[in-house]
Amino acid sequence: MSTIMQRAGAAPAGSASSPATGSIPHYPKDEARKSAPWFKRLLAAPPPWLLAPARALRVPNLLGIRVVARYLEVTEVLARTDVFAVPFGDEITALGGGKPFLLGIDDCDAHGEQLRVLMQIFRREDLKKIGKYAAEKARAQIDLAIAEARKNHERPPYRINAIKELITGVPLEIVARYYGIDMPDRQLFADAAIDVSGHLFGGNAKPEARGPRIAPAAAYLHDVVDASIGKAHPNADGDKIVERLLAYRDPANQQLAPEVVRAMLIGMIVGFVPTNTMAGGHILEVLLCKEQAMNAACHAARLGDDDLLNRCLLEALRFMPINPGPFRTCKKAFTIAADTPRAKTIPPNSKVLASTFAAMFDPRSVREPKSFNPGRPAADYLHFGHGLHWCIGAYIAQTQLTQTFKVLLQQAKVGRAAKDGRLKRRGNFPDRLYLEFQEPSR
């Protein structure tokens, strides 16, 4: 059992029978909606013009962080996992209960081995089912908001907290119905996943940087996931991911150990719920701020054109991505943009920010980057990374977001609510944004 789990009071690694409770003493609900300080919010979602100077300079050193900002240089960093390592590899293993997960693996062979397992478990044909689950949940939340208003004799427009009920609520529905995780308290589960995600991917994923909620959050995720593993039955063709993982046999006909199943489930969840909360919240904010973007997305939704809507959402996200880009650790001296006038050697042990945000606005590689254009080539987008660590859940994420926004944008007169209509955050993550809408005319 890992040291972190001993301190958190969680069940031993490999246990598949620990009881899942709605709230454990070590991980209380956090009712306070406290946003991060302004400078951290600025770093989390900087305006595009703020990163333009970084593209002009040759890998500037900003507060000890080497910033790589041009498109070709960013993709070079992300492609060289032999030089630029993910900084959270050891920590994601520790918080996962001692078993490594794909996101923290830089070795090509080890990464490929786990990727092959996950590709057999998370199947492309599942996307139709995921889309159905997402649309049903989004539709149910819209209907509930309308029903509650009518019950209280309120006239349109109707109100809904789009973050809690849709942007976070729909991914949690996917975790329940597709992953097979029984969450006694969905919001608490989401908070735990967000806390762990913020620590792992925030640029300082070290044990000494853990806030007071990180170990208990990891323990809570373990507790809930272990209970779901304990109740699941192996089924290679089951509808739920946990059933398929338990039924999986490797080439030597060996099944996955329960702690490995848990590590994979938690890794995929922590990479899904928080990320889509951030992505969905930012997409919504862009749509509300950019009339052209909102009109284009509403048009696609009302046409029922999923491909066009997905492209509208990806383009909106380019203006406010989930973060400025992934952090990497330079393992050995490396010359970026070698044999060009911009050649610059990055010293070993340097902390590097590969700014995918800045790269997506690089006019040398992206045509008319300041314009909203959902017809862009896929290569213009670096939302899902590049190279070895390109997001394995990209298609699940896009399907869920597309179907969620499709239901929302098919309503009439969608806009900010007069009260609480501004995006509020919990830390850096979207937490609250109320919308007003009317039912579409039949």
Side-chain angles (χ1 to χ4, degrees), residues 219-241:
Y220 182 77
L221 294 177
H222 287 215
D223 181 55
V224 174
V225 171
D226 279 350
S228 296
I229 293 172
K231 291 186 291 185
H233 298 286
N235 185 349
D237 296 316
D239 287 335
K240 295 179 173 59
I241 292 301

mmCIF file with all atom_site columns, all heavy atoms in Angstrom, residues 219-241:
data_model
loop_
_atom_site.group_PDB
_atom_site.id
_atom_site.type_symbol
_atom_site.label_atom_id
_atom_site.label_alt_id
_atom_site.label_comp_id
_atom_site.label_asym_id
_atom_site.label_entity_id
_atom_site.label_seq_id
_atom_site.pdbx_PDB_ins_code
_atom_site.Cartn_x
_atom_site.Cartn_y
_atom_site.Cartn_z
_atom_site.occupancy
_atom_site.B_iso_or_equiv
_atom_site.pdbx_formal_charge
_atom_site.auth_seq_id
_atom_site.auth_comp_id
_atom_site.auth_asym_id
_atom_site.auth_atom_id
_atom_site.pdbx_PDB_model_num
ATOM 1   N N   . ALA A 1 219 ? -7.944  9.307   -2.154  1.00 0.00 ? 219 ALA A N   1
ATOM 2   C CA  . ALA A 1 219 ? -8.501  8.212   -1.360  1.00 0.00 ? 219 ALA A CA  1
ATOM 3   C C   . ALA A 1 219 ? -9.986  8.036   -1.638  1.00 0.00 ? 219 ALA A C   1
ATOM 4   O O   . ALA A 1 219 ? -10.491 6.912   -1.720  1.00 0.00 ? 219 ALA A O   1
ATOM 5   C CB  . ALA A 1 219 ? -8.265  8.483   0.128   1.00 0.00 ? 219 ALA A CB  1
ATOM 6   N N   . TYR A 1 220 ? -10.692 9.138   -1.790  1.00 0.00 ? 220 TYR A N   1
ATOM 7   C CA  . TYR A 1 220 ? -12.127 9.061   -2.066  1.00 0.00 ? 220 TYR A CA  1
ATOM 8   C C   . TYR A 1 220 ? -12.388 8.423   -3.434  1.00 0.00 ? 220 TYR A C   1
ATOM 9   O O   . TYR A 1 220 ? -13.265 7.572   -3.580  1.00 0.00 ? 220 TYR A O   1
ATOM 10  C CB  . TYR A 1 220 ? -12.754 10.452  -1.999  1.00 0.00 ? 220 TYR A CB  1
ATOM 11  C CG  . TYR A 1 220 ? -14.243 10.437  -2.231  1.00 0.00 ? 220 TYR A CG  1
ATOM 12  C CD1 . TYR A 1 220 ? -15.113 10.035  -1.220  1.00 0.00 ? 220 TYR A CD1 1
ATOM 13  C CD2 . TYR A 1 220 ? -14.782 10.784  -3.458  1.00 0.00 ? 220 TYR A CD2 1
ATOM 14  C CE1 . TYR A 1 220 ? -16.486 9.982   -1.427  1.00 0.00 ? 220 TYR A CE1 1
ATOM 15  C CE2 . TYR A 1 220 ? -16.146 10.750  -3.682  1.00 0.00 ? 220 TYR A CE2 1
ATOM 16  C CZ  . TYR A 1 220 ? -17.001 10.356  -2.659  1.00 0.00 ? 220 TYR A CZ  1
ATOM 17  O OH  . TYR A 1 220 ? -18.343 10.303  -2.879  1.00 0.00 ? 220 TYR A OH  1
ATOM 18  N N   . LEU A 1 221 ? -11.620 8.821   -4.446  1.00 0.00 ? 221 LEU A N   1
ATOM 19  C CA  . LEU A 1 221 ? -11.755 8.215   -5.770  1.00 0.00 ? 221 LEU A CA  1
ATOM 20  C C   . LEU A 1 221 ? -11.494 6.709   -5.694  1.00 0.00 ? 221 LEU A C   1
ATOM 21  O O   . LEU A 1 221 ? -12.223 5.911   -6.286  1.00 0.00 ? 221 LEU A O   1
ATOM 22  C CB  . LEU A 1 221 ? -10.794 8.867   -6.758  1.00 0.00 ? 221 LEU A CB  1
ATOM 23  C CG  . LEU A 1 221 ? -11.047 10.336  -7.103  1.00 0.00 ? 221 LEU A CG  1
ATOM 24  C CD1 . LEU A 1 221 ? -9.956  10.855  -8.039  1.00 0.00 ? 221 LEU A CD1 1
ATOM 25  C CD2 . LEU A 1 221 ? -12.420 10.536  -7.734  1.00 0.00 ? 221 LEU A CD2 1
ATOM 26  N N   . HIS A 1 222 ? -10.452 6.323   -4.949  1.00 0.00 ? 222 HIS A N   1
ATOM 27  C CA  . HIS A 1 222 ? -10.141 4.901   -4.776  1.00 0.00 ? 222 HIS A CA  1
ATOM 28  C C   . HIS A 1 222 ? -11.323 4.169   -4.143  1.00 0.00 ? 222 HIS A C   1
ATOM 29  O O   . HIS A 1 222 ? -11.708 3.084   -4.571  1.00 0.00 ? 222 HIS A O   1
ATOM 30  C CB  . HIS A 1 222 ? -8.922  4.730   -3.880  1.00 0.00 ? 222 HIS A CB  1
ATOM 31  C CG  . HIS A 1 222 ? -7.626  5.092   -4.536  1.00 0.00 ? 222 HIS A CG  1
ATOM 32  N ND1 . HIS A 1 222 ? -6.453  4.426   -4.270  1.00 0.00 ? 222 HIS A ND1 1
ATOM 33  C CD2 . HIS A 1 222 ? -7.309  6.046   -5.436  1.00 0.00 ? 222 HIS A CD2 1
ATOM 34  C CE1 . HIS A 1 222 ? -5.469  4.959   -4.983  1.00 0.00 ? 222 HIS A CE1 1
ATOM 35  N NE2 . HIS A 1 222 ? -5.978  5.951   -5.694  1.00 0.00 ? 222 HIS A NE2 1
ATOM 36  N N   . ASP A 1 223 ? -11.875 4.769   -3.108  1.00 0.00 ? 223 ASP A N   1
ATOM 37  C CA  . ASP A 1 223 ? -12.960 4.138   -2.357  1.00 0.00 ? 223 ASP A CA  1
ATOM 38  C C   . ASP A 1 223 ? -14.155 3.866   -3.259  1.00 0.00 ? 223 ASP A C   1
ATOM 39  O O   . ASP A 1 223 ? -14.713 2.757   -3.277  1.00 0.00 ? 223 ASP A O   1
ATOM 40  C CB  . ASP A 1 223 ? -13.352 5.066   -1.207  1.00 0.00 ? 223 ASP A CB  1
ATOM 41  C CG  . ASP A 1 223 ? -14.456 4.502   -0.338  1.00 0.00 ? 223 ASP A CG  1
ATOM 42  O OD1 . ASP A 1 223 ? -14.292 3.372   0.159   1.00 0.00 ? 223 ASP A OD1 1
ATOM 43  O OD2 . ASP A 1 223 ? -15.472 5.191   -0.156  1.00 0.00 ? 223 ASP A OD2 1
ATOM 44  N N   . VAL A 1 224 ? -14.547 4.871   -4.036  1.00 0.00 ? 224 VAL A N   1
ATOM 45  C CA  . VAL A 1 224 ? -15.718 4.732   -4.902  1.00 0.00 ? 224 VAL A CA  1
ATOM 46  C C   . VAL A 1 224 ? -15.451 3.751   -6.040  1.00 0.00 ? 224 VAL A C   1
ATOM 47  O O   . VAL A 1 224 ? -16.279 2.880   -6.350  1.00 0.00 ? 224 VAL A O   1
ATOM 48  C CB  . VAL A 1 224 ? -16.148 6.107   -5.446  1.00 0.00 ? 224 VAL A CB  1
ATOM 49  C CG1 . VAL A 1 224 ? -17.277 5.958   -6.458  1.00 0.00 ? 224 VAL A CG1 1
ATOM 50  C CG2 . VAL A 1 224 ? -16.583 7.027   -4.304  1.00 0.00 ? 224 VAL A CG2 1
ATOM 51  N N   . VAL A 1 225 ? -14.282 3.869   -6.656  1.00 0.00 ? 225 VAL A N   1
ATOM 52  C CA  . VAL A 1 225 ? -13.960 3.005   -7.790  1.00 0.00 ? 225 VAL A CA  1
ATOM 53  C C   . VAL A 1 225 ? -13.785 1.555   -7.326  1.00 0.00 ? 225 VAL A C   1
ATOM 54  O O   . VAL A 1 225 ? -14.248 0.620   -7.992  1.00 0.00 ? 225 VAL A O   1
ATOM 55  C CB  . VAL A 1 225 ? -12.702 3.517   -8.522  1.00 0.00 ? 225 VAL A CB  1
ATOM 56  C CG1 . VAL A 1 225 ? -12.228 2.498   -9.558  1.00 0.00 ? 225 VAL A CG1 1
ATOM 57  C CG2 . VAL A 1 225 ? -13.000 4.851   -9.204  1.00 0.00 ? 225 VAL A CG2 1
ATOM 58  N N   . ASP A 1 226 ? -13.134 1.353   -6.186  1.00 0.00 ? 226 ASP A N   1
ATOM 59  C CA  . ASP A 1 226 ? -12.969 -0.015  -5.665  1.00 0.00 ? 226 ASP A CA  1
ATOM 60  C C   . ASP A 1 226 ? -14.315 -0.680  -5.411  1.00 0.00 ? 226 ASP A C   1
ATOM 61  O O   . ASP A 1 226 ? -14.505 -1.872  -5.682  1.00 0.00 ? 226 ASP A O   1
ATOM 62  C CB  . ASP A 1 226 ? -12.164 0.004   -4.365  1.00 0.00 ? 226 ASP A CB  1
ATOM 63  C CG  . ASP A 1 226 ? -10.666 0.098   -4.590  1.00 0.00 ? 226 ASP A CG  1
ATOM 64  O OD1 . ASP A 1 226 ? -10.242 -0.051  -5.755  1.00 0.00 ? 226 ASP A OD1 1
ATOM 65  O OD2 . ASP A 1 226 ? -9.926  0.323   -3.628  1.00 0.00 ? 226 ASP A OD2 1
ATOM 66  N N   . ALA A 1 227 ? -15.258 0.080   -4.873  1.00 0.00 ? 227 ALA A N   1
ATOM 67  C CA  . ALA A 1 227 ? -16.579 -0.482  -4.612  1.00 0.00 ? 227 ALA A CA  1
ATOM 68  C C   . ALA A 1 227 ? -17.264 -0.892  -5.911  1.00 0.00 ? 227 ALA A C   1
ATOM 69  O O   . ALA A 1 227 ? -17.926 -1.934  -5.976  1.00 0.00 ? 227 ALA A O   1
ATOM 70  C CB  . ALA A 1 227 ? -17.432 0.533   -3.856  1.00 0.00 ? 227 ALA A CB  1
ATOM 71  N N   . SER A 1 228 ? -17.090 -0.096  -6.960  1.00 0.00 ? 228 SER A N   1
ATOM 72  C CA  . SER A 1 228 ? -17.689 -0.426  -8.254  1.00 0.00 ? 228 SER A CA  1
ATOM 73  C C   . SER A 1 228 ? -17.029 -1.654  -8.863  1.00 0.00 ? 228 SER A C   1
ATOM 74  O O   . SER A 1 228 ? -17.701 -2.501  -9.468  1.00 0.00 ? 228 SER A O   1
ATOM 75  C CB  . SER A 1 228 ? -17.573 0.768   -9.207  1.00 0.00 ? 228 SER A CB  1
ATOM 76  O OG  . SER A 1 228 ? -18.318 1.872   -8.721  1.00 0.00 ? 228 SER A OG  1
ATOM 77  N N   . ILE A 1 229 ? -15.716 -1.771  -8.697  1.00 0.00 ? 229 ILE A N   1
ATOM 78  C CA  . ILE A 1 229 ? -15.006 -2.966  -9.173  1.00 0.00 ? 229 ILE A CA  1
ATOM 79  C C   . ILE A 1 229 ? -15.519 -4.201  -8.443  1.00 0.00 ? 229 ILE A C   1
ATOM 80  O O   . ILE A 1 229 ? -15.754 -5.262  -9.042  1.00 0.00 ? 229 ILE A O   1
ATOM 81  C CB  . ILE A 1 229 ? -13.485 -2.812  -8.975  1.00 0.00 ? 229 ILE A CB  1
ATOM 82  C CG1 . ILE A 1 229 ? -12.937 -1.700  -9.887  1.00 0.00 ? 229 ILE A CG1 1
ATOM 83  C CG2 . ILE A 1 229 ? -12.761 -4.133  -9.248  1.00 0.00 ? 229 ILE A CG2 1
ATOM 84  C CD1 . ILE A 1 229 ? -11.487 -1.342  -9.614  1.00 0.00 ? 229 ILE A CD1 1
ATOM 85  N N   . GLY A 1 230 ? -15.727 -4.053  -7.126  1.00 0.00 ? 230 GLY A N   1
ATOM 86  C CA  . GLY A 1 230 ? -16.184 -5.185  -6.332  1.00 0.00 ? 230 GLY A CA  1
ATOM 87  C C   . GLY A 1 230 ? -17.568 -5.675  -6.710  1.00 0.00 ? 230 GLY A C   1
ATOM 88  O O   . GLY A 1 230 ? -17.883 -6.860  -6.557  1.00 0.00 ? 230 GLY A O   1
ATOM 89  N N   . LYS A 1 231 ? -18.406 -4.784  -7.225  1.00 0.00 ? 231 LYS A N   1
ATOM 90  C CA  . LYS A 1 231 ? -19.776 -5.164  -7.589  1.00 0.00 ? 231 LYS A CA  1
ATOM 91  C C   . LYS A 1 231 ? -19.909 -5.613  -9.042  1.00 0.00 ? 231 LYS A C   1
ATOM 92  O O   . LYS A 1 231 ? -20.937 -6.179  -9.417  1.00 0.00 ? 231 LYS A O   1
ATOM 93  C CB  . LYS A 1 231 ? -20.716 -3.972  -7.344  1.00 0.00 ? 231 LYS A CB  1
ATOM 94  C CG  . LYS A 1 231 ? -20.909 -3.634  -5.879  1.00 0.00 ? 231 LYS A CG  1
ATOM 95  C CD  . LYS A 1 231 ? -21.955 -2.556  -5.672  1.00 0.00 ? 231 LYS A CD  1
ATOM 96  C CE  . LYS A 1 231 ? -21.500 -1.205  -6.182  1.00 0.00 ? 231 LYS A CE  1
ATOM 97  N NZ  . LYS A 1 231 ? -22.482 -0.128  -5.865  1.00 0.00 ? 231 LYS A NZ  1
ATOM 98  N N   . ALA A 1 232 ? -18.874 -5.335  -9.859  1.00 0.00 ? 232 ALA A N   1
ATOM 99  C CA  . ALA A 1 232 ? -18.979 -5.633  -11.294 1.00 0.00 ? 232 ALA A CA  1
ATOM 100 C C   . ALA A 1 232 ? -18.668 -7.099  -11.579 1.00 0.00 ? 232 ALA A C   1
ATOM 101 O O   . ALA A 1 232 ? -17.928 -7.759  -10.842 1.00 0.00 ? 232 ALA A O   1
ATOM 102 C CB  . ALA A 1 232 ? -18.023 -4.736  -12.074 1.00 0.00 ? 232 ALA A CB  1
ATOM 103 N N   . HIS A 1 233 ? -19.230 -7.609  -12.674 1.00 0.00 ? 233 HIS A N   1
ATOM 104 C CA  . HIS A 1 233 ? -18.966 -8.962  -13.127 1.00 0.00 ? 233 HIS A CA  1
ATOM 105 C C   . HIS A 1 233 ? -18.199 -8.908  -14.443 1.00 0.00 ? 233 HIS A C   1
ATOM 106 O O   . HIS A 1 233 ? -18.552 -8.138  -15.345 1.00 0.00 ? 233 HIS A O   1
ATOM 107 C CB  . HIS A 1 233 ? -20.276 -9.727  -13.328 1.00 0.00 ? 233 HIS A CB  1
ATOM 108 C CG  . HIS A 1 233 ? -21.082 -9.872  -12.076 1.00 0.00 ? 233 HIS A CG  1
ATOM 109 N ND1 . HIS A 1 233 ? -20.736 -10.745 -11.064 1.00 0.00 ? 233 HIS A ND1 1
ATOM 110 C CD2 . HIS A 1 233 ? -22.206 -9.233  -11.657 1.00 0.00 ? 233 HIS A CD2 1
ATOM 111 C CE1 . HIS A 1 233 ? -21.616 -10.656 -10.081 1.00 0.00 ? 233 HIS A CE1 1
ATOM 112 N NE2 . HIS A 1 233 ? -22.519 -9.742  -10.414 1.00 0.00 ? 233 HIS A NE2 1
ATOM 113 N N   . PRO A 1 234 ? -17.141 -9.704  -14.581 1.00 0.00 ? 234 PRO A N   1
ATOM 114 C CA  . PRO A 1 234 ? -16.363 -9.695  -15.830 1.00 0.00 ? 234 PRO A CA  1
ATOM 115 C C   . PRO A 1 234 ? -17.236 -10.010 -17.037 1.00 0.00 ? 234 PRO A C   1
ATOM 116 O O   . PRO A 1 234 ? -18.031 -10.958 -17.010 1.00 0.00 ? 234 PRO A O   1
ATOM 117 C CB  . PRO A 1 234 ? -15.316 -10.791 -15.603 1.00 0.00 ? 234 PRO A CB  1
ATOM 118 C CG  . PRO A 1 234 ? -15.208 -10.925 -14.117 1.00 0.00 ? 234 PRO A CG  1
ATOM 119 C CD  . PRO A 1 234 ? -16.586 -10.648 -13.589 1.00 0.00 ? 234 PRO A CD  1
ATOM 120 N N   . ASN A 1 235 ? -17.102 -9.205  -18.077 1.00 0.00 ? 235 ASN A N   1
ATOM 121 C CA  . ASN A 1 235 ? -17.872 -9.419  -19.299 1.00 0.00 ? 235 ASN A CA  1
ATOM 122 C C   . ASN A 1 235 ? -17.152 -8.706  -20.430 1.00 0.00 ? 235 ASN A C   1
ATOM 123 O O   . ASN A 1 235 ? -17.192 -7.476  -20.525 1.00 0.00 ? 235 ASN A O   1
ATOM 124 C CB  . ASN A 1 235 ? -19.301 -8.887  -19.152 1.00 0.00 ? 235 ASN A CB  1
ATOM 125 C CG  . ASN A 1 235 ? -20.162 -9.198  -20.367 1.00 0.00 ? 235 ASN A CG  1
ATOM 126 O OD1 . ASN A 1 235 ? -19.663 -9.621  -21.407 1.00 0.00 ? 235 ASN A OD1 1
ATOM 127 N ND2 . ASN A 1 235 ? -21.458 -8.978  -20.240 1.00 0.00 ? 235 ASN A ND2 1
ATOM 128 N N   . ALA A 1 236 ? -16.490 -9.466  -21.275 1.00 0.00 ? 236 ALA A N   1
ATOM 129 C CA  . ALA A 1 236 ? -15.681 -8.880  -22.341 1.00 0.00 ? 236 ALA A CA  1
ATOM 130 C C   . ALA A 1 236 ? -16.504 -8.049  -23.308 1.00 0.00 ? 236 ALA A C   1
ATOM 131 O O   . ALA A 1 236 ? -15.985 -7.127  -23.944 1.00 0.00 ? 236 ALA A O   1
ATOM 132 C CB  . ALA A 1 236 ? -14.938 -9.979  -23.098 1.00 0.00 ? 236 ALA A CB  1
ATOM 133 N N   . ASP A 1 237 ? -17.783 -8.360  -23.433 1.00 0.00 ? 237 ASP A N   1
ATOM 134 C CA  . ASP A 1 237 ? -18.661 -7.617  -24.345 1.00 0.00 ? 237 ASP A CA  1
ATOM 135 C C   . ASP A 1 237 ? -19.693 -6.793  -23.589 1.00 0.00 ? 237 ASP A C   1
ATOM 136 O O   . ASP A 1 237 ? -20.735 -6.421  -24.141 1.00 0.00 ? 237 ASP A O   1
ATOM 137 C CB  . ASP A 1 237 ? -19.373 -8.590  -25.289 1.00 0.00 ? 237 ASP A CB  1
ATOM 138 C CG  . ASP A 1 237 ? -18.396 -9.320  -26.200 1.00 0.00 ? 237 ASP A CG  1
ATOM 139 O OD1 . ASP A 1 237 ? -17.496 -8.650  -26.738 1.00 0.00 ? 237 ASP A OD1 1
ATOM 140 O OD2 . ASP A 1 237 ? -18.528 -10.550 -26.354 1.00 0.00 ? 237 ASP A OD2 1
ATOM 141 N N   . GLY A 1 238 ? -19.398 -6.501  -22.321 1.00 0.00 ? 238 GLY A N   1
ATOM 142 C CA  . GLY A 1 238 ? -20.341 -5.743  -21.515 1.00 0.00 ? 238 GLY A CA  1
ATOM 143 C C   . GLY A 1 238 ? -20.465 -4.300  -21.956 1.00 0.00 ? 238 GLY A C   1
ATOM 144 O O   . GLY A 1 238 ? -19.614 -3.768  -22.686 1.00 0.00 ? 238 GLY A O   1
ATOM 145 N N   . ASP A 1 239 ? -21.513 -3.652  -21.521 1.00 0.00 ? 239 ASP A N   1
ATOM 146 C CA  . ASP A 1 239 ? -21.736 -2.248  -21.850 1.00 0.00 ? 239 ASP A CA  1
ATOM 147 C C   . ASP A 1 239 ? -20.840 -1.317  -21.045 1.00 0.00 ? 239 ASP A C   1
ATOM 148 O O   . ASP A 1 239 ? -20.637 -0.172  -21.437 1.00 0.00 ? 239 ASP A O   1
ATOM 149 C CB  . ASP A 1 239 ? -23.204 -1.867  -21.586 1.00 0.00 ? 239 ASP A CB  1
ATOM 150 C CG  . ASP A 1 239 ? -24.147 -2.461  -22.620 1.00 0.00 ? 239 ASP A CG  1
ATOM 151 O OD1 . ASP A 1 239 ? -23.682 -2.730  -23.744 1.00 0.00 ? 239 ASP A OD1 1
ATOM 152 O OD2 . ASP A 1 239 ? -25.330 -2.662  -22.295 1.00 0.00 ? 239 ASP A OD2 1
ATOM 153 N N   . LYS A 1 240 ? -20.316 -1.814  -19.938 1.00 0.00 ? 240 LYS A N   1
ATOM 154 C CA  . LYS A 1 240 ? -19.546 -0.961  -19.025 1.00 0.00 ? 240 LYS A CA  1
ATOM 155 C C   . LYS A 1 240 ? -18.063 -1.298  -19.090 1.00 0.00 ? 240 LYS A C   1
ATOM 156 O O   . LYS A 1 240 ? -17.665 -2.464  -19.173 1.00 0.00 ? 240 LYS A O   1
ATOM 157 C CB  . LYS A 1 240 ? -20.074 -1.102  -17.598 1.00 0.00 ? 240 LYS A CB  1
ATOM 158 C CG  . LYS A 1 240 ? -21.513 -0.599  -17.427 1.00 0.00 ? 240 LYS A CG  1
ATOM 159 C CD  . LYS A 1 240 ? -21.999 -0.793  -16.003 1.00 0.00 ? 240 LYS A CD  1
ATOM 160 C CE  . LYS A 1 240 ? -23.362 -0.130  -15.804 1.00 0.00 ? 240 LYS A CE  1
ATOM 161 N NZ  . LYS A 1 240 ? -24.400 -0.644  -16.697 1.00 0.00 ? 240 LYS A NZ  1
ATOM 162 N N   . ILE A 1 241 ? -17.247 -0.246  -18.996 1.00 0.00 ? 241 ILE A N   1
ATOM 163 C CA  . ILE A 1 241 ? -15.794 -0.396  -19.087 1.00 0.00 ? 241 ILE A CA  1
ATOM 164 C C   . ILE A 1 241 ? -15.250 -1.262  -17.959 1.00 0.00 ? 241 ILE A C   1
ATOM 165 O O   . ILE A 1 241 ? -14.351 -2.085  -18.171 1.00 0.00 ? 241 ILE A O   1
ATOM 166 C CB  . ILE A 1 241 ? -15.128 0.995   -19.072 1.00 0.00 ? 241 ILE A CB  1
ATOM 167 C CG1 . ILE A 1 241 ? -15.459 1.762   -20.354 1.00 0.00 ? 241 ILE A CG1 1
ATOM 168 C CG2 . ILE A 1 241 ? -13.612 0.871   -18.898 1.00 0.00 ? 241 ILE A CG2 1
ATOM 169 C CD1 . ILE A 1 241 ? -15.018 1.075   -21.625 1.00 0.00 ? 241 ILE A CD1 1
#
